[in-house]
Short mmCIF file of all heavy atoms in Angstrom, two decimals:
data_model
loop_
_atom_site.label_atom_id
_atom_site.label_comp_id
_atom_site.label_asym_id
_atom_site.label_seq_id
_atom_site.Cartn_x
_atom_site.Cartn_y
_atom_site.Cartn_z
N GLN A 63 -12.33 8.74 -0.11
CA GLN A 63 -11.62 8.79 -1.45
C GLN A 63 -11.36 7.46 -2.08
O GLN A 63 -11.44 7.23 -3.21
CB GLN A 63 -10.34 9.58 -1.40
CG GLN A 63 -10.53 11.15 -1.19
CD GLN A 63 -11.02 11.82 -2.33
OE1 GLN A 63 -10.66 11.51 -3.50
NE2 GLN A 63 -11.91 12.84 -2.29
N VAL A 64 -10.87 6.59 -1.20
CA VAL A 64 -10.65 5.29 -1.74
C VAL A 64 -11.70 4.24 -1.52
O VAL A 64 -11.50 2.99 -1.79
CB VAL A 64 -9.25 4.70 -0.94
CG1 VAL A 64 -8.09 5.40 -1.44
CG2 VAL A 64 -9.28 4.65 0.50
N GLY A 65 -12.84 4.65 -0.99
CA GLY A 65 -13.98 3.74 -0.79
C GLY A 65 -13.97 2.81 0.37
O GLY A 65 -14.39 1.50 0.20
N LEU A 66 -13.33 3.09 1.43
CA LEU A 66 -13.20 2.29 2.56
C LEU A 66 -13.92 2.96 3.89
O LEU A 66 -14.21 4.14 3.68
CB LEU A 66 -11.78 2.00 2.97
CG LEU A 66 -10.87 1.51 2.03
CD1 LEU A 66 -9.43 1.47 2.40
CD2 LEU A 66 -11.20 -0.03 1.78
N SER A 67 -14.20 2.16 4.83
CA SER A 67 -14.80 2.85 6.03
C SER A 67 -13.51 3.42 6.76
O SER A 67 -12.41 3.00 6.62
CB SER A 67 -15.48 1.82 6.94
OG SER A 67 -14.44 0.91 7.50
N ARG A 68 -13.68 4.35 7.69
CA ARG A 68 -12.57 4.95 8.38
C ARG A 68 -11.91 3.93 9.36
O ARG A 68 -10.75 3.82 9.41
CB ARG A 68 -13.00 6.10 9.28
CG ARG A 68 -11.77 6.84 9.70
CD ARG A 68 -12.06 7.66 11.11
NE ARG A 68 -12.63 6.81 12.25
CZ ARG A 68 -11.83 5.99 12.91
NH1 ARG A 68 -10.53 5.81 12.72
NH2 ARG A 68 -12.32 5.21 13.87
N ALA A 69 -12.81 2.94 9.93
CA ALA A 69 -12.18 1.90 10.68
C ALA A 69 -11.33 0.92 9.96
O ALA A 69 -10.31 0.58 10.36
CB ALA A 69 -13.41 1.23 11.45
N ASN A 70 -11.79 0.61 8.72
CA ASN A 70 -10.96 -0.30 7.79
C ASN A 70 -9.67 0.38 7.41
O ASN A 70 -8.71 -0.35 7.49
CB ASN A 70 -11.85 -0.77 6.64
CG ASN A 70 -11.27 -1.90 5.95
OD1 ASN A 70 -10.76 -1.65 4.80
ND2 ASN A 70 -11.14 -2.97 6.57
N LEU A 71 -9.78 1.65 7.05
CA LEU A 71 -8.53 2.31 6.77
C LEU A 71 -7.62 2.27 7.94
O LEU A 71 -6.38 2.16 7.67
CB LEU A 71 -8.85 3.81 6.29
CG LEU A 71 -7.58 4.70 6.01
CD1 LEU A 71 -6.86 4.15 4.79
CD2 LEU A 71 -8.08 6.08 5.74
N CYS A 72 -8.07 2.69 9.12
CA CYS A 72 -7.24 2.67 10.45
C CYS A 72 -6.56 1.32 10.55
O CYS A 72 -5.38 1.13 10.71
CB CYS A 72 -8.09 3.13 11.57
SG CYS A 72 -7.13 3.10 13.12
N ASP A 73 -7.40 0.16 10.31
CA ASP A 73 -6.83 -1.22 10.54
C ASP A 73 -5.68 -1.39 9.48
O ASP A 73 -4.62 -1.98 9.81
CB ASP A 73 -7.86 -2.23 10.27
CG ASP A 73 -8.69 -2.35 11.52
OD1 ASP A 73 -8.33 -1.93 12.64
OD2 ASP A 73 -9.89 -2.97 11.30
N LEU A 74 -5.84 -0.90 8.17
CA LEU A 74 -4.89 -1.08 7.17
C LEU A 74 -3.59 -0.29 7.48
O LEU A 74 -2.51 -0.76 7.27
CB LEU A 74 -5.42 -0.66 5.74
CG LEU A 74 -6.55 -1.60 5.26
CD1 LEU A 74 -7.21 -1.04 3.96
CD2 LEU A 74 -5.95 -3.06 4.87
N GLU A 75 -3.80 0.99 7.87
CA GLU A 75 -2.69 1.84 8.28
C GLU A 75 -1.94 1.35 9.46
O GLU A 75 -0.65 1.57 9.45
CB GLU A 75 -3.17 3.23 8.52
CG GLU A 75 -3.60 4.07 7.24
CD GLU A 75 -3.97 5.43 7.53
OE1 GLU A 75 -4.06 5.96 8.64
OE2 GLU A 75 -4.16 6.26 6.56
N LYS A 76 -2.46 0.72 10.33
CA LYS A 76 -1.76 0.17 11.53
C LYS A 76 -1.22 -1.28 11.34
O LYS A 76 -0.67 -1.75 12.23
CB LYS A 76 -2.69 0.21 12.73
CG LYS A 76 -3.25 1.66 13.19
CD LYS A 76 -2.98 1.94 14.55
CE LYS A 76 -3.54 3.28 14.85
NZ LYS A 76 -2.58 4.23 15.14
N GLY A 77 -1.54 -1.75 10.16
CA GLY A 77 -1.00 -3.19 9.81
C GLY A 77 -1.72 -4.27 10.59
O GLY A 77 -1.25 -5.36 10.53
N ARG A 78 -2.98 -3.89 11.05
CA ARG A 78 -3.69 -4.98 11.81
C ARG A 78 -4.42 -5.84 10.72
O ARG A 78 -4.82 -6.96 11.02
CB ARG A 78 -4.80 -4.32 12.79
CG ARG A 78 -4.27 -3.71 13.85
CD ARG A 78 -5.21 -3.09 14.87
NE ARG A 78 -6.06 -2.10 14.26
CZ ARG A 78 -6.00 -0.80 14.81
NH1 ARG A 78 -5.14 -0.49 15.75
NH2 ARG A 78 -6.73 0.03 14.21
N LYS A 79 -4.66 -5.31 9.49
CA LYS A 79 -5.24 -6.13 8.45
C LYS A 79 -4.35 -5.85 7.21
O LYS A 79 -3.68 -4.79 7.01
CB LYS A 79 -6.56 -5.66 8.12
CG LYS A 79 -7.67 -5.94 9.19
CD LYS A 79 -9.07 -5.69 8.70
CE LYS A 79 -10.00 -5.98 9.78
NZ LYS A 79 -11.39 -5.70 9.39
N ILE A 80 -4.31 -6.88 6.45
CA ILE A 80 -3.45 -6.82 5.19
C ILE A 80 -4.49 -7.20 3.98
O ILE A 80 -5.21 -8.21 4.18
CB ILE A 80 -2.33 -8.02 5.09
CG1 ILE A 80 -1.39 -7.69 6.22
CG2 ILE A 80 -1.72 -7.89 3.85
CD1 ILE A 80 -0.40 -8.97 6.49
N PRO A 81 -4.67 -6.18 3.11
CA PRO A 81 -5.64 -6.46 1.99
C PRO A 81 -5.23 -7.58 1.13
O PRO A 81 -4.13 -8.00 0.94
CB PRO A 81 -5.60 -5.18 1.24
CG PRO A 81 -4.17 -4.73 1.42
CD PRO A 81 -3.72 -5.22 2.86
N SER A 82 -6.28 -8.22 0.51
CA SER A 82 -6.06 -9.16 -0.53
C SER A 82 -5.39 -8.49 -1.71
O SER A 82 -5.60 -7.37 -1.93
CB SER A 82 -7.39 -9.78 -1.01
OG SER A 82 -8.14 -8.76 -1.61
N PRO A 83 -4.78 -9.24 -2.56
CA PRO A 83 -4.25 -8.62 -3.85
C PRO A 83 -5.26 -7.79 -4.67
O PRO A 83 -5.05 -6.80 -5.17
CB PRO A 83 -3.69 -9.81 -4.59
CG PRO A 83 -3.31 -10.72 -3.54
CD PRO A 83 -4.39 -10.77 -2.46
N GLU A 84 -6.48 -8.42 -4.74
CA GLU A 84 -7.55 -7.87 -5.48
C GLU A 84 -7.89 -6.36 -4.79
O GLU A 84 -7.95 -5.50 -5.51
CB GLU A 84 -8.73 -8.71 -5.47
CG GLU A 84 -9.88 -8.13 -6.21
CD GLU A 84 -11.22 -9.02 -6.18
OE1 GLU A 84 -11.28 -9.97 -5.39
OE2 GLU A 84 -12.10 -8.67 -7.05
N ARG A 85 -7.97 -6.36 -3.53
CA ARG A 85 -8.31 -5.11 -2.88
C ARG A 85 -7.15 -4.10 -2.91
O ARG A 85 -7.44 -2.97 -3.13
CB ARG A 85 -8.66 -5.43 -1.31
CG ARG A 85 -9.12 -4.23 -0.72
CD ARG A 85 -9.78 -4.48 0.55
NE ARG A 85 -10.91 -3.68 0.76
CZ ARG A 85 -11.56 -3.63 1.95
NH1 ARG A 85 -11.15 -4.26 2.99
NH2 ARG A 85 -12.55 -2.87 1.95
#
Side-chain angles (χ1 to χ4, degrees):
Q63 289 287 324
V64 289
L66 302 170
S67 70
R68 193 207 57 75
N70 190 247
L71 175 62
C72 183
D73 285 341
L74 291 171
E75 285 185 350
K76 299 229 183 250
R78 292 187 292 250
K79 290 188 179 179
I80 300 169
S82 67
E84 180 182 14
R85 188 167 220 194

